[in-house]
Amino acid sequence: MKRRDFLKNIAAVAIPSLGCGLLIGAPRAGVPTGARPVRPPGAVAESEFLTRCIRCLRCVEACPNNAILPMDDTFGSELAGTPFIQPRRQACMLCNKIEGPYLRCTEICPSGALGRVRRTPKDVQEKVAMGKAVLDKKLCYSYNNWSCGACYRACPFPGKAMSLGMWERPEVIEEGCVGCGLCERSCIRYPHAIRVKTSTA
């Protein structure tokens, strides 16, 4: 791949990412058809989550990375007002370097829709299941005559959630991935080569 084309892709991803930050009121692109939304860490099963969540938006206010958004009514009345995350816009940083014993959104939730999760690596890996990162090798630079590795360097659990091979070729380790989306957010490819995907609702 020519360097000029590579730089065009970097520019292409920077502009949409900036634009997404301005569209807080219309977060429409983050939920693939047939999948459940990417919920904040500690979320209970989707059916129970929709019953428990009181749409208070305290988790939105508490998030230190401004990663949690309220869904609007374009998703339907059942989902309207519930919190979700668009990793490409802003990923969950798992309250890294934030004071306090718990992930902030899980500590503030009054209804149990988000169960409390301590900020320890062990607790996060055991209790957080926002989704799973899925890599498209046809799009990934490291599998197409270029060396990148940005997703691996962003991963909070290198060696456990993601490994890196020759030419900085990443591989997702599903059992260790918590779906924080930091890999998706950091991907310099546009369209991006790695995405957090969830199961069906």
Side-chain angles (χ1 to χ4, degrees):
M1 175 179 292
K2 294 181 180 178
R3 181 176 178 81
R4 181 174 56 190
D5 295 333
F6 180 72
L7 293 175
K8 282 182 181 178
N9 271 320
I10 293 177
V13 74
I15 293 170
S17 294
L18 176 61
C20 284
L22 302 175
L23 296 175
I24 302 277
R28 307 184 178 202
V31 186
T33 302
R36 64 174 174 80
V38 176
R39 295 300 187 187
V44 295
E46 183 70 5
S47 58
E48 186 179 357
F49 181 87
L50 292 174
T51 300
R52 289 193 179 196
C53 179
I54 60 173
R55 282 71 166 168
C56 66
L57 304 184
R58 292 184 188 180
C59 57
V60 175
E61 297 170 359
C63 180
N65 206 34
N66 297 315
I68 305 175
L69 299 173
M71 300 184 81
D72 63 28
D73 57 11
T74 61
F75 294 104
S77 58
E78 185 182 32
L79 299 182
T82 62
F84 82 130
I85 293 173
Q86 283 183 319
R88 190 60 167 174
R89 172 198 163 271
Q90 192 68 289
C92 172
M93 65 181 208
L94 301 170
C95 290
N96 184 36
K97 298 181 180 179
I98 300 297
E99 293 183 3
Y102 297 97
L103 301 185
R104 289 235 177 129
C105 61
T106 73
E107 185 175 27
I108 202 71
C109 179
S111 68
L114 305 178
R116 281 195 174 189
V117 180
R118 290 189 174 274
R119 291 194 311 107
T120 64
K122 182 178 183 295
D123 220 37
V124 168
Q125 285 213 293
E126 287 180 354
K127 297 181 179 181
V128 176
M130 292 182 274
K132 297 293 179 185
V134 177
L135 177 70
D136 187 338
K137 294 180 180 179
K138 293 180 181 178
L139 295 177
C140 179
Y141 282 132
S142 292
Y143 285 90
N144 292 279
N145 304 315
W146 199 276
S147 181
C148 178
C151 58
Y152 178 81
R153 286 187 284 276
C155 180
F157 299 108
K160 293 183 178 180
M162 184 175 287
S163 62
L164 203 64
M166 187 177 292
W167 310 117
E168 295 190 296
R169 291 177 174 176
E171 290 283 355
V172 176
I173 304 171
E174 284 196 17
E175 56 268 28
C177 178
V178 301
C180 66
L182 288 168
C183 58
E184 180 175 335
R185 182 70 180 88
S186 68
C187 180
I188 64 173
R189 179 74 163 81
Y190 187 79
H192 41 301
I194 191 164
R195 300 168 183 261
V196 173
K197 294 189 177 182
T198 63
S199 59
T200 56

